[in-house]
Amino acid sequence: MAVVAVDIGGTTVKGALFDVDGTVLDRATVATFPTGMSAVADGPGGPALAAVTALVTQLAASATASGRTLTGIGLCSPGLVDAERGRVVVAVNLGWTDLPIAELLAARFDVPVALEHDARAAARAERAARLAADKPVDEFVFIPIGTGVSATVVTGGTIVHGATGGAGEFGHVPVVPDGEVCTCGQRGCVEVYASAGNVLRRYREAGGALAGSTRELVDLVGTDPIAARVWQEAVEALATGVVMLTAVLDPGAVIIGGGLGEAGDRLLVPLRAAVAERMRWRALPNIEQSLVGAGAGLAGAAILVNTQSTSTP
Amino acid sequence: MAVVAVDIGGTTVKGALFDVDGTVLDRATVATFPTGMSAVADGPGGPALAAVTALVTQLAASATASGRTLTGIGLCSPGLVDAERGRVVVAVNLGWTDLPIAELLAARFDVPVALEHDARAAARAERAARLAADKPVDEFVFIPIGTGVSATVVTGGTIVHGATGGAGEFGHVPVVPDGEVCTCGQRGCVEVYASAGNVLRRYREAGGALAGSTRELVDLVGTDPIAARVWQEAVEALATGVVMLTAVLDPGAVIIGGGLGEAGDRLLVPLRAAVAERMRWRALPNIEQSLVGAGAGLAGAAILVNTQSTSTP
């Protein structure tokens, strides 16, 4: 028996074939849009769904070739996701509107299919990883920082989806009044200061020329004053947001994931200091790096199959 | 059969005797501290516990006099409350530290006793009232605005307590950088602009002289420019906080309660406008007045007896 997990992104669709015990048996990645194609769909799901289908076909064949039976598919997608009904309500960068992707794939591959929002799937993987590491956590906030910034709230071991499935938009919490304009139309959002792309953009706009990537910028924080200032502004924006989350939700842990989470102590140490500086009035949550790292979406999608309601063939 | 509910406050302890169907049979209120006494305890619980005990004794006698059997006691308290263990961990204005109040009263009155944080008990009452009014809501934030400002988060019908029972401190979310100093030590908190007492304080400090109470100040918003400005600043602080709650939690409703919630449309109309102005990028929650009003704590305490774990005699 084996399960296919798929992490659908705006640039690539990543997939893996998992054994029942969680071992990765095979991996594959395809471009979400073949060169020259756009997010404009020419059928239900368009090229992005075709990419997902091709990837699942490939990994299902890999399962068969190794003598295993495919027992389910777990998907995670960006956008507004209705996990219960297996539909992507809107995913602008995939060209999807109200796509019943779980039902479509269940019919095509004749196995149950589960769907979740990508950040929530990652939070689920984080919780599972902590349980496996004997550090269980039931009250936490998972903040993946990459192209965007979001926050999945887990309380009592359950992921908060919100009234319309739109919870988690931590990136669009305004923290700098009259600050820079964000893509959402507000000013001073967490994301406009702290996402990986915006950190690099702000560095360049401030005249920084030494770093070619956010990763390089982080390496320059000790020596390049422009990198240091932009990085500190990102930390301050995140800290204001974490103070807010802590005051209202009292999480036991605030877990930083995504690409920028891999900055590790270079992010965590100043972030802890900035939060502590503001919240002298109460105990602070542990601010920690994600255990699951960049593969969180895929791992979460694999877990979904066994823990969430699925669309059946 | 009857239940005693008690809402413990820093100034008064309010109690009511409820019939099993929720009808109020009797009411009583006592001062938390008899004149001349302070919050310094001269025994476990000190004068504040003595006040609670006297009130319960009176209402229990009222039950007996009407031929009813007392079947339980529901309490709500400010401070840091461990509902599960029936303990008030800290309540500075009551002089309590780690007081096992549920256990003490269960032993004294020989009935089960349940305890909850006052704002959470109120949120529970609000949920029950909406269910009874055929307007059920499972994803909401309840914001009582009075001496303080807090926010109880309800998700999937369950109240968020947090990792240490300290969730809900919405009043101490900073929304005005470098703003006025708050009692918590931070600057620019929601509470320092929007609590009932702070609205009046800020009006007076700005030279306002026409209003003698927050209620009068609200009545003057249309005619007194100082009242108008201070009120708008309170609305803006609340709006920034509500934007944050909405982005992260996607509540179906944001329900405003407490004394200031009774300002009704004079608060709700500008608050909705200020939130909508900021959040053009997504659907907004309904921003509504509490159905339960000022008696929410007591009603919530009465509900507790039947729905929460209790300390038994």
Side-chain angles (χ1 to χ4, degrees), chain A residues 139 153 155 160-170 172-174 177 184 186 243-245 247-252 278 281-282, chain B residues 139 153 155 160-170 172-174 177 184 186 243-245 247-252 278 281-282:
Chain A
E139 298 281 330
V153 176
T155 177
V160 174
H161 287 74
T164 66
E169 294 287 0
F170 177 64
H172 299 296
V173 168
C184 73
Q186 297 183 107
V243 165
M244 170 275 280
L245 293 172
V248 173
L249 298 167
D250 181 25
R278 288 163 170 79
W281 54 287
R282 71 179 283 166
Chain B
E139 298 283 329
V153 176
T155 178
V160 174
H161 286 75
T164 68
E169 294 288 0
F170 176 66
H172 300 295
V173 168
C184 74
Q186 297 184 106
V243 165
M244 169 273 280
L245 293 172
V248 174
L249 298 166
D250 181 25
R278 288 163 171 77
W281 53 287
R282 71 181 282 167

Side-chain angles (χ1 to χ4, degrees), chain A residues 202-244:
Chain A
R202 297 188 74 247
Y203 173 75
R204 287 177 173 155
E205 287 176 5
L210 302 174
S213 68
T214 310
R215 191 178 294 261
E216 287 175 21
L217 186 156
V218 174
D219 288 338
L220 291 171
V221 165
T223 52
D224 177 347
I226 299 177
R229 178 163 62 75
V230 166
W231 188 242
Q232 190 57 31
E233 285 167 355
V235 166
E236 296 289 338
L238 285 169
T240 302
V242 169
V243 165
M244 170 275 280

